Amino acid sequence: MGQGLWRVARNQQLQHQGYSEQGFLTREHGRRITANNVSNTSHRKQTPGGIDIYHLLKTRKSKEQEGFINLEMLPPELSFTILSYLNATDLCLASCVWQDLANDELLWQGLCKSTWGHCSIYNKNPPLGFSFRKLYMQLDEGSLTFNANPDEGVNYFMSKGILDDSPKEIAKFIFCTRTLNWKKLRIYLDERRDVLDDLVTLHNFRNQFLPNALREFFRHIHAPEERGEYLETLITKFSHRFCACNPDLMRELGLSPDAVYVLCYSLILLSIDLTSPHVKNKMSKREFIRNTRRAAQNISEDFVGHLYDNIYLIGHVAA
C-alpha cells in the first residue's frame, strides 16, 4: 500500500516537471528527428557540384516572404521558363516586381507570335525604338478595333506598319490569328474577295477525308447563316482547292471540282437533317446514297456511304 502511494506521488511529480515516461520518450524521439534533419540539411549544404534548388528555395524564405519565390535568385533560363507561362496581364504585373526579367523582349516576342502568328513586321528590320511589348499592345488594340469595324482595324494595322497593304499579307494574318470576331471576319471576307482567294490557298487538304477537310475550312472561314451567293462562292473555292491538293485521289475516284461541289452541298444538307431537332424523320443512309448518286453518278456507293457515316458519327461540317 505504501509503495503504491509512493509511485502515484512520484508520477505526479514527474508529470508536473514534464518528464513522465511517455513525455520523456516523446521528447527523446523529437530530439532524434531534429538531429537527423540537421544532419540531412548539413549534408545538402555540403553536396558538391551544381545548385541545390531545393535548399536554395528553402533558405531564401523569410517570415515576410514565406511561400514567395524570388525569380532573380534562380538561373535565368528557369526564370524565363516560368514567366513564359504567363499571359500579357500577369506579365505586366510581374514586371512590377521583376522589371528586368518580365520586360525581356523574348517573352513579349513569344506572346506576340503565339497570339498573332503572322505579321508583316516580323519579317522586317525593326525600326529604331522597336519593342515587342509595345507591338503587343498595338496588336491587341488593332484586334479590338477590327472586332468593332473590320476596315478600320485593318487600316490601323497598316498605319502602324504591322501589316503591308497586300491581300496575301492580310490573308496570312487572318489565317494565323484567333482573336478576330468570326462574324465581323465573315462580313470582311464577303467584301474582300481578293483576300478570300488568298486565304483559301493557305489551306492544305492533302490526304484529308472530304467531310473533315470541309470542317477545317469552315473553322477558318465561317459559313453564312443562310444559303446564298456567298455560300456558293465558298463551296466553289473549296472544291477547286480540295481537288488541287488531292490530284491522285481525284483521278482514282473519278471526281471533278463540280462533283466535289455537289458532294459538299449534300454533306451540308445531311448535317442539317441529322443535327436539327426540328427534323423528325431523319434521312437514312440508303436515301442519302440514292439522292447523292442521282446528282453525281460516277461516285461509288461505298464512298458515299462513308460520307454518311462520318456525318452521323462526328456531326455537322459547318458547326
Side-chain angles (χ1 to χ4, degrees), residues 28-69:
E28 183 67 18
H29 180 65
R31 280 195 290 270
R32 290 175 182 174
I33 292 176
T34 302
N36 290 335
N37 288 339
V38 172
S39 176
N40 290 337
T41 303
S42 300
H43 176 69
R44 279 184 176 273
K45 291 179 181 178
Q46 298 171 2
T47 301
I51 299 176
D52 191 339
I53 299 298
Y54 175 82
H55 173 70
L56 177 64
L57 297 179
K58 295 292 286 185
T59 55
R60 292 298 300 176
K61 286 184 179 180
S62 63
K63 291 184 179 180
E64 294 79 17
Q65 293 180 322
E66 187 171 1
F68 183 81
I69 300 175

mmCIF file of all heavy atoms in Angstrom, residues 28-69:
data_model
loop_
_atom_site.group_PDB
_atom_site.id
_atom_site.type_symbol
_atom_site.label_atom_id
_atom_site.label_comp_id
_atom_site.label_asym_id
_atom_site.label_seq_id
_atom_site.Cartn_x
_atom_site.Cartn_y
_atom_site.Cartn_z
ATOM 1 N N GLU A 28 12.467 12.600 -26.387
ATOM 2 C CA GLU A 28 13.686 11.970 -26.873
ATOM 3 C C GLU A 28 13.570 11.657 -28.359
ATOM 4 O O GLU A 28 14.506 11.878 -29.143
ATOM 5 C CB GLU A 28 13.958 10.679 -26.068
ATOM 6 C CG GLU A 28 15.258 9.978 -26.452
ATOM 7 C CD GLU A 28 16.474 10.809 -26.079
ATOM 8 O OE1 GLU A 28 16.344 11.729 -25.247
ATOM 9 O OE2 GLU A 28 17.559 10.549 -26.652
ATOM 10 N N HIS A 29 12.366 11.173 -28.796
ATOM 11 C CA HIS A 29 12.128 10.864 -30.206
ATOM 12 C C HIS A 29 12.201 12.143 -31.049
ATOM 13 O O HIS A 29 12.772 12.158 -32.142
ATOM 14 C CB HIS A 29 10.762 10.201 -30.353
ATOM 15 C CG HIS A 29 10.430 9.842 -31.775
ATOM 16 N ND1 HIS A 29 11.139 8.909 -32.489
ATOM 17 C CD2 HIS A 29 9.453 10.320 -32.599
ATOM 18 C CE1 HIS A 29 10.619 8.797 -33.699
ATOM 19 N NE2 HIS A 29 9.596 9.653 -33.793
ATOM 20 N N GLY A 30 11.629 13.237 -30.530
ATOM 21 C CA GLY A 30 11.671 14.513 -31.248
ATOM 22 C C GLY A 30 13.079 15.010 -31.420
ATOM 23 O O GLY A 30 13.446 15.546 -32.471
ATOM 24 N N ARG A 31 13.905 14.855 -30.338
ATOM 25 C CA ARG A 31 15.290 15.303 -30.443
ATOM 26 C C ARG A 31 16.047 14.505 -31.506
ATOM 27 O O ARG A 31 16.871 15.050 -32.229
ATOM 28 C CB ARG A 31 15.981 15.179 -29.078
ATOM 29 C CG ARG A 31 15.649 16.328 -28.123
ATOM 30 C CD ARG A 31 16.615 16.363 -26.968
ATOM 31 N NE ARG A 31 16.428 15.227 -26.062
ATOM 32 C CZ ARG A 31 15.612 15.237 -25.017
ATOM 33 N NH1 ARG A 31 14.900 16.324 -24.741
ATOM 34 N NH2 ARG A 31 15.499 14.187 -24.240
ATOM 35 N N ARG A 32 15.742 13.206 -31.600
ATOM 36 C CA ARG A 32 16.424 12.384 -32.611
ATOM 37 C C ARG A 32 16.029 12.824 -34.026
ATOM 38 O O ARG A 32 16.864 12.884 -34.928
ATOM 39 C CB ARG A 32 16.083 10.913 -32.403
ATOM 40 C CG ARG A 32 16.715 10.321 -31.137
ATOM 41 C CD ARG A 32 16.243 8.904 -30.901
ATOM 42 N NE ARG A 32 16.808 8.361 -29.668
ATOM 43 C CZ ARG A 32 16.457 7.175 -29.173
ATOM 44 N NH1 ARG A 32 15.544 6.429 -29.788
ATOM 45 N NH2 ARG A 32 17.014 6.747 -28.063
ATOM 46 N N ILE A 33 14.729 13.104 -34.242
ATOM 47 C CA ILE A 33 14.272 13.559 -35.563
ATOM 48 C C ILE A 33 14.921 14.879 -35.929
ATOM 49 O O ILE A 33 15.387 15.088 -37.043
ATOM 50 C CB ILE A 33 12.730 13.692 -35.580
ATOM 51 C CG1 ILE A 33 12.101 12.307 -35.468
ATOM 52 C CG2 ILE A 33 12.255 14.397 -36.848
ATOM 53 C CD1 ILE A 33 10.590 12.337 -35.385
ATOM 54 N N THR A 34 14.983 15.804 -34.931
ATOM 55 C CA THR A 34 15.603 17.106 -35.193
ATOM 56 C C THR A 34 17.068 16.946 -35.545
ATOM 57 O O THR A 34 17.586 17.597 -36.458
ATOM 58 C CB THR A 34 15.458 18.002 -33.958
ATOM 59 O OG1 THR A 34 14.065 18.132 -33.641
ATOM 60 C CG2 THR A 34 16.058 19.386 -34.214
ATOM 61 N N ALA A 35 17.743 16.066 -34.817
ATOM 62 C CA ALA A 35 19.160 15.832 -35.095
ATOM 63 C C ALA A 35 19.353 15.264 -36.494
ATOM 64 O O ALA A 35 20.271 15.650 -37.221
ATOM 65 C CB ALA A 35 19.752 14.869 -34.043
ATOM 66 N N ASN A 36 18.454 14.332 -36.918
ATOM 67 C CA ASN A 36 18.546 13.763 -38.265
ATOM 68 C C ASN A 36 18.327 14.827 -39.327
ATOM 69 O O ASN A 36 19.001 14.854 -40.359
ATOM 70 C CB ASN A 36 17.528 12.631 -38.439
ATOM 71 C CG ASN A 36 17.901 11.407 -37.627
ATOM 72 O OD1 ASN A 36 19.073 11.197 -37.306
ATOM 73 N ND2 ASN A 36 16.910 10.579 -37.278
ATOM 74 N N ASN A 37 17.329 15.723 -39.099
ATOM 75 C CA ASN A 37 17.063 16.794 -40.062
ATOM 76 C C ASN A 37 18.257 17.722 -40.202
ATOM 77 O O ASN A 37 18.607 18.156 -41.301
ATOM 78 C CB ASN A 37 15.827 17.599 -39.658
ATOM 79 C CG ASN A 37 14.552 16.810 -39.863
ATOM 80 O OD1 ASN A 37 14.534 15.854 -40.640
ATOM 81 N ND2 ASN A 37 13.482 17.195 -39.170
ATOM 82 N N VAL A 38 18.866 18.052 -39.054
ATOM 83 C CA VAL A 38 20.038 18.905 -39.094
ATOM 84 C C VAL A 38 21.160 18.227 -39.860
ATOM 85 O O VAL A 38 21.870 18.848 -40.659
ATOM 86 C CB VAL A 38 20.492 19.262 -37.658
ATOM 87 C CG1 VAL A 38 21.829 19.987 -37.688
ATOM 88 C CG2 VAL A 38 19.432 20.116 -36.971
ATOM 89 N N SER A 39 21.294 16.912 -39.618
ATOM 90 C CA SER A 39 22.331 16.175 -40.321
ATOM 91 C C SER A 39 22.087 16.166 -41.821
ATOM 92 O O SER A 39 22.998 16.364 -42.623
ATOM 93 C CB SER A 39 22.395 14.730 -39.795
ATOM 94 O OG SER A 39 23.333 13.979 -40.535
ATOM 95 N N ASN A 40 20.809 15.933 -42.222
ATOM 96 C CA ASN A 40 20.466 15.922 -43.649
ATOM 97 C C ASN A 40 20.687 17.288 -44.278
ATOM 98 O O ASN A 40 21.160 17.406 -45.407
ATOM 99 C CB ASN A 40 19.005 15.494 -43.849
ATOM 100 C CG ASN A 40 18.809 14.029 -43.519
ATOM 101 O OD1 ASN A 40 19.759 13.247 -43.550
ATOM 102 N ND2 ASN A 40 17.570 13.652 -43.198
ATOM 103 N N THR A 41 20.315 18.352 -43.536
ATOM 104 C CA THR A 41 20.488 19.705 -44.060
ATOM 105 C C THR A 41 21.958 20.008 -44.259
ATOM 106 O O THR A 41 22.367 20.597 -45.269
ATOM 107 C CB THR A 41 19.863 20.737 -43.103
ATOM 108 O OG1 THR A 41 18.493 20.429 -42.913
ATOM 109 C CG2 THR A 41 19.992 22.142 -43.660
ATOM 110 N N SER A 42 22.776 19.584 -43.268
ATOM 111 C CA SER A 42 24.210 19.796 -43.391
ATOM 112 C C SER A 42 24.757 19.041 -44.588
ATOM 113 O O SER A 42 25.599 19.537 -45.331
ATOM 114 C CB SER A 42 24.924 19.343 -42.105
ATOM 115 O OG SER A 42 24.444 20.090 -40.994
ATOM 116 N N HIS A 43 24.199 17.827 -44.815
ATOM 117 C CA HIS A 43 24.644 17.035 -45.955
ATOM 118 C C HIS A 43 24.288 17.725 -47.258
ATOM 119 O O HIS A 43 25.073 17.738 -48.212
ATOM 120 C CB HIS A 43 24.012 15.652 -45.897
ATOM 121 C CG HIS A 43 24.356 14.802 -47.084
ATOM 122 N ND1 HIS A 43 25.623 14.316 -47.303
ATOM 123 C CD2 HIS A 43 23.585 14.383 -48.122
ATOM 124 C CE1 HIS A 43 25.626 13.604 -48.416
ATOM 125 N NE2 HIS A 43 24.401 13.632 -48.939
ATOM 126 N N ARG A 44 23.067 18.360 -47.334
ATOM 127 C CA ARG A 44 22.660 19.093 -48.536
ATOM 128 C C ARG A 44 23.620 20.252 -48.805
ATOM 129 O O ARG A 44 23.989 20.516 -49.933
ATOM 130 C CB ARG A 44 21.240 19.650 -48.384
ATOM 131 C CG ARG A 44 20.156 18.630 -48.659
ATOM 132 C CD ARG A 44 18.792 19.297 -48.571
ATOM 133 N NE ARG A 44 17.753 18.372 -48.925
ATOM 134 C CZ ARG A 44 17.333 18.160 -50.169
ATOM 135 N NH1 ARG A 44 17.899 18.798 -51.150
ATOM 136 N NH2 ARG A 44 16.362 17.302 -50.418
ATOM 137 N N LYS A 45 23.976 20.959 -47.741
ATOM 138 C CA LYS A 45 24.852 22.114 -47.925
ATOM 139 C C LYS A 45 26.199 21.701 -48.478
ATOM 140 O O LYS A 45 26.832 22.450 -49.219
ATOM 141 C CB LYS A 45 25.038 22.844 -46.596
ATOM 142 C CG LYS A 45 23.776 23.547 -46.096
ATOM 143 C CD LYS A 45 24.048 24.224 -44.766
ATOM 144 C CE LYS A 45 22.793 24.923 -44.237
ATOM 145 N NZ LYS A 45 23.013 25.536 -42.931
ATOM 146 N N GLN A 46 26.636 20.495 -48.104
ATOM 147 C CA GLN A 46 27.974 20.075 -48.473
ATOM 148 C C GLN A 46 27.974 19.242 -49.752
ATOM 149 O O GLN A 46 28.997 18.692 -50.125
ATOM 150 C CB GLN A 46 28.600 19.267 -47.329
ATOM 151 C CG GLN A 46 28.747 20.092 -46.041
ATOM 152 C CD GLN A 46 29.160 19.235 -44.863
ATOM 153 O OE1 GLN A 46 29.369 18.042 -45.003
ATOM 154 N NE2 GLN A 46 29.290 19.853 -43.697
ATOM 155 N N THR A 47 26.803 19.142 -50.436
ATOM 156 C CA THR A 47 26.767 18.356 -51.665
ATOM 157 C C THR A 47 27.602 19.027 -52.731
ATOM 158 O O THR A 47 27.341 20.177 -53.086
ATOM 159 C CB THR A 47 25.326 18.217 -52.170
ATOM 160 O OG1 THR A 47 24.555 17.582 -51.167
ATOM 161 C CG2 THR A 47 25.279 17.377 -53.438
ATOM 162 N N PRO A 48 28.590 18.358 -53.276
ATOM 163 C CA PRO A 48 29.462 19.008 -54.258
ATOM 164 C C PRO A 48 28.811 19.054 -55.633
ATOM 165 O O PRO A 48 28.069 18.155 -55.999
ATOM 166 C CB PRO A 48 30.701 18.108 -54.283
ATOM 167 C CG PRO A 48 30.173 16.750 -53.913
ATOM 168 C CD PRO A 48 29.053 16.992 -52.952
ATOM 169 N N GLY A 49 29.109 20.118 -56.416
ATOM 170 C CA GLY A 49 28.686 20.207 -57.817
ATOM 171 C C GLY A 49 27.253 20.636 -57.971
ATOM 172 O O GLY A 49 26.359 20.110 -57.324
ATOM 173 N N GLY A 50 26.942 21.599 -58.864
ATOM 174 C CA GLY A 50 25.586 22.008 -59.188
ATOM 175 C C GLY A 50 24.967 22.859 -58.095
ATOM 176 O O GLY A 50 25.553 23.108 -57.044
ATOM 177 N N ILE A 51 23.734 23.282 -58.371
ATOM 178 C CA ILE A 51 22.997 24.113 -57.418
ATOM 179 C C ILE A 51 21.864 23.286 -56.832
ATOM 180 O O ILE A 51 21.082 22.685 -57.570
ATOM 181 C CB ILE A 51 22.425 25.362 -58.110
ATOM 182 C CG1 ILE A 51 23.558 26.203 -58.687
ATOM 183 C CG2 ILE A 51 21.575 26.185 -57.155
ATOM 184 C CD1 ILE A 51 23.078 27.405 -59.473
ATOM 185 N N ASP A 52 21.793 23.238 -55.538
ATOM 186 C CA ASP A 52 20.703 22.528 -54.871
ATOM 187 C C ASP A 52 19.496 23.461 -54.836
ATOM 188 O O ASP A 52 19.375 24.308 -53.951
ATOM 189 C CB ASP A 52 21.140 22.127 -53.466
ATOM 190 C CG ASP A 52 20.147 21.154 -52.819
ATOM 191 O OD1 ASP A 52 18.986 21.137 -53.277
ATOM 192 O OD2 ASP A 52 20.532 20.434 -51.907
ATOM 193 N N ILE A 53 18.592 23.329 -55.827
ATOM 194 C CA ILE A 53 17.448 24.236 -55.941
ATOM 195 C C ILE A 53 16.551 24.135 -54.710
ATOM 196 O O ILE A 53 16.055 25.143 -54.195
ATOM 197 C CB ILE A 53 16.642 23.907 -57.213
ATOM 198 C CG1 ILE A 53 17.517 24.092 -58.455
ATOM 199 C CG2 ILE A 53 15.419 24.804 -57.318
ATOM 200 C CD1 ILE A 53 17.997 25.501 -58.642
ATOM 201 N N TYR A 54 16.373 22.914 -54.201
ATOM 202 C CA TYR A 54 15.513 22.728 -53.030
ATOM 203 C C TYR A 54 16.067 23.511 -51.843
ATOM 204 O O TYR A 54 15.350 24.253 -51.168
ATOM 205 C CB TYR A 54 15.426 21.243 -52.693
ATOM 206 C CG TYR A 54 14.661 20.946 -51.424
ATOM 207 C CD1 TYR A 54 13.277 20.885 -51.430
ATOM 208 C CD2 TYR A 54 15.337 20.746 -50.215
ATOM 209 C CE1 TYR A 54 12.583 20.629 -50.266
ATOM 210 C CE2 TYR A 54 14.646 20.482 -49.056
ATOM 211 C CZ TYR A 54 13.266 20.424 -49.078
ATOM 212 O OH TYR A 54 12.565 20.168 -47.938
ATOM 213 N N HIS A 55 17.355 23.362 -51.602
ATOM 214 C CA HIS A 55 17.977 24.075 -50.485
ATOM 215 C C HIS A 55 17.940 25.580 -50.721
ATOM 216 O O HIS A 55 17.700 26.351 -49.794
ATOM 217 C CB HIS A 55 19.423 23.603 -50.320
ATOM 218 C CG HIS A 55 20.194 24.402 -49.295
ATOM 219 N ND1 HIS A 55 19.943 24.325 -47.951
ATOM 220 C CD2 HIS A 55 21.200 25.308 -49.448
ATOM 221 C CE1 HIS A 55 20.762 25.148 -47.299
ATOM 222 N NE2 HIS A 55 21.531 25.755 -48.195
ATOM 223 N N LEU A 56 18.139 25.995 -51.993
ATOM 224 C CA LEU A 56 18.138 27.418 -52.313
ATOM 225 C C LEU A 56 16.779 28.047 -52.005
ATOM 226 O O LEU A 56 16.700 29.106 -51.381
ATOM 227 C CB LEU A 56 18.480 27.623 -53.793
ATOM 228 C CG LEU A 56 18.441 29.066 -54.311
ATOM 229 C CD1 LEU A 56 19.494 29.907 -53.616
ATOM 230 C CD2 LEU A 56 18.657 29.087 -55.826
ATOM 231 N N LEU A 57 15.713 27.364 -52.438
ATOM 232 C CA LEU A 57 14.375 27.910 -52.194
ATOM 233 C C LEU A 57 14.030 27.908 -50.710
ATOM 234 O O LEU A 57 13.390 28.834 -50.214
ATOM 235 C CB LEU A 57 13.335 27.097 -52.982
ATOM 236 C CG LEU A 57 13.479 27.127 -54.507
ATOM 237 C CD1 LEU A 57 12.390 26.267 -55.157
ATOM 238 C CD2 LEU A 57 13.380 28.546 -55.024
ATOM 239 N N LYS A 58 14.438 26.869 -49.995
ATOM 240 C CA LYS A 58 14.114 26.780 -48.570
ATOM 241 C C LYS A 58 14.850 27.848 -47.775
ATOM 242 O O LYS A 58 14.286 28.463 -46.864
ATOM 243 C CB LYS A 58 14.474 25.393 -48.043
ATOM 244 C CG LYS A 58 13.660 24.265 -48.656
ATOM 245 C CD LYS A 58 12.211 24.282 -48.252
ATOM 246 C CE LYS A 58 12.009 23.819 -46.834
ATOM 247 N NZ LYS A 58 10.571 23.729 -46.477
ATOM 248 N N THR A 59 16.113 28.078 -48.099
ATOM 249 C CA THR A 59 16.902 29.028 -47.309
ATOM 250 C C THR A 59 16.570 30.466 -47.637
ATOM 251 O O THR A 59 16.853 31.355 -46.833
ATOM 252 C CB THR A 59 18.409 28.793 -47.540
ATOM 253 O OG1 THR A 59 18.675 28.872 -48.951
ATOM 254 C CG2 THR A 59 18.825 27.420 -47.031
ATOM 255 N N ARG A 60 15.996 30.726 -48.825
ATOM 256 C CA ARG A 60 15.682 32.098 -49.197
ATOM 257 C C ARG A 60 14.374 32.590 -48.597
ATOM 258 O O ARG A 60 14.037 33.758 -48.696
ATOM 259 C CB ARG A 60 15.595 32.239 -50.726
ATOM 260 C CG ARG A 60 16.901 32.062 -51.452
ATOM 261 C CD ARG A 60 17.901 33.100 -51.064
ATOM 262 N NE ARG A 60 17.453 34.451 -51.352
ATOM 263 C CZ ARG A 60 18.115 35.534 -51.044
ATOM 264 N NH1 ARG A 60 19.252 35.438 -50.367
ATOM 265 N NH2 ARG A 60 17.654 36.721 -51.372
ATOM 266 N N LYS A 61 13.611 31.677 -47.992
ATOM 267 C CA LYS A 61 12.341 32.074 -47.399
ATOM 268 C C LYS A 61 12.576 32.786 -46.070
ATOM 269 O O LYS A 61 13.382 32.375 -45.265
ATOM 270 C CB LYS A 61 11.447 30.855 -47.182
ATOM 271 C CG LYS A 61 10.838 30.289 -48.471
ATOM 272 C CD LYS A 61 9.905 29.152 -48.148
ATOM 273 C CE LYS A 61 9.269 28.588 -49.401
ATOM 274 N NZ LYS A 61 8.355 27.482 -49.106
ATOM 275 N N SER A 62 11.864 33.838 -45.868
ATOM 276 C CA SER A 62 11.867 34.527 -44.584
ATOM 277 C C SER A 62 10.431 34.642 -44.110
ATOM 278 O O SER A 62 9.500 34.263 -44.809
ATOM 279 C CB SER A 62 12.488 35.925 -44.736
ATOM 280 O OG SER A 62 11.708 36.707 -45.618
ATOM 281 N N LYS A 63 10.244 35.181 -42.950
ATOM 282 C CA LYS A 63 8.886 35.316 -42.438
ATOM 283 C C LYS A 63 8.045 36.243 -43.314
ATOM 284 O O LYS A 63 6.853 36.050 -43.462
ATOM 285 C CB LYS A 63 8.933 35.848 -41.004
ATOM 286 C CG LYS A 63 9.505 34.860 -40.003
ATOM 287 C CD LYS A 63 9.437 35.423 -38.593
ATOM 288 C CE LYS A 63 9.982 34.420 -37.583
ATOM 289 N NZ LYS A 63 9.937 34.951 -36.190
ATOM 290 N N GLU A 64 8.689 37.270 -43.875
ATOM 291 C CA GLU A 64 7.938 38.195 -44.733
ATOM 292 C C GLU A 64 7.696 37.611 -46.116
ATOM 293 O O GLU A 64 6.757 38.010 -46.802
ATOM 294 C CB GLU A 64 8.712 39.517 -44.882
ATOM 295 C CG GLU A 64 8.857 40.317 -43.592
ATOM 296 C CD GLU A 64 9.951 39.772 -42.716
ATOM 297 O OE1 GLU A 64 10.791 38.991 -43.238
ATOM 298 O OE2 GLU A 64 9.981 40.096 -41.510
ATOM 299 N N GLN A 65 8.513 36.646 -46.561
ATOM 300 C CA GLN A 65 8.420 36.103 -47.908
ATOM 301 C C GLN A 65 8.067 34.631 -47.907
ATOM 302 O O GLN A 65 8.370 33.925 -48.861
ATOM 303 C CB GLN A 65 9.752 36.293 -48.631
ATOM 304 C CG GLN A 65 10.108 37.739 -48.911
ATOM 305 C CD GLN A 65 11.433 37.832 -49.635
ATOM 306 O OE1 GLN A 65 12.348 37.077 -49.347
ATOM 307 N NE2 GLN A 65 11.530 38.754 -50.567
ATOM 308 N N GLU A 66 7.394 34.144 -46.901
ATOM 309 C CA GLU A 66 7.078 32.733 -46.813
ATOM 310 C C GLU A 66 6.161 32.341 -47.976
ATOM 311 O O GLU A 66 5.105 32.934 -48.175
ATOM 312 C CB GLU A 66 6.414 32.409 -45.484
ATOM 313 C CG GLU A 66 6.208 30.912 -45.285
ATOM 314 C CD GLU A 66 5.744 30.599 -43.880
ATOM 315 O OE1 GLU A 66 5.586 31.554 -43.107
ATOM 316 O OE2 GLU A 66 5.540 29.420 -43.582
ATOM 317 N N GLY A 67 6.556 31.340 -48.784
ATOM 318 C CA GLY A 67 5.800 30.914 -49.936
ATOM 319 C C GLY A 67 6.014 31.785 -51.158
ATOM 320 O O GLY A 67 5.380 31.589 -52.178
ATOM 321 N N PHE A 68 6.923 32.738 -51.121
ATOM 322 C CA PHE A 68 7.162 33.687 -52.210
ATOM 323 C C PHE A 68 8.544 33.417 -52.786
ATOM 324 O O PHE A 68 9.541 33.472 -52.076
ATOM 325 C CB PHE A 68 7.070 35.112 -51.678
ATOM 326 C CG PHE A 68 7.239 36.168 -52.726
ATOM 327 C CD1 PHE A 68 6.174 36.527 -53.531
ATOM 328 C CD2 PHE A 68 8.453 36.805 -52.899
ATOM 329 C CE1 PHE A 68 6.329 37.503 -54.493
ATOM 330 C CE2 PHE A 68 8.613 37.777 -53.861
ATOM 331 C CZ PHE A 68 7.543 38.132 -54.660
ATOM 332 N N ILE A 69 8.621 33.086 -54.084
ATOM 333 C CA ILE A 69 9.885 32.741 -54.723
ATOM 334 C C ILE A 69 10.439 33.965 -55.420
ATOM 335 O O ILE A 69 9.746 34.600 -56.218
ATOM 336 C CB ILE A 69 9.699 31.603 -55.734
ATOM 337 C CG1 ILE A 69 9.150 30.358 -55.036
ATOM 338 C CG2 ILE A 69 11.004 31.272 -56.434
ATOM 339 C CD1 ILE A 69 8.835 29.228 -55.976
#
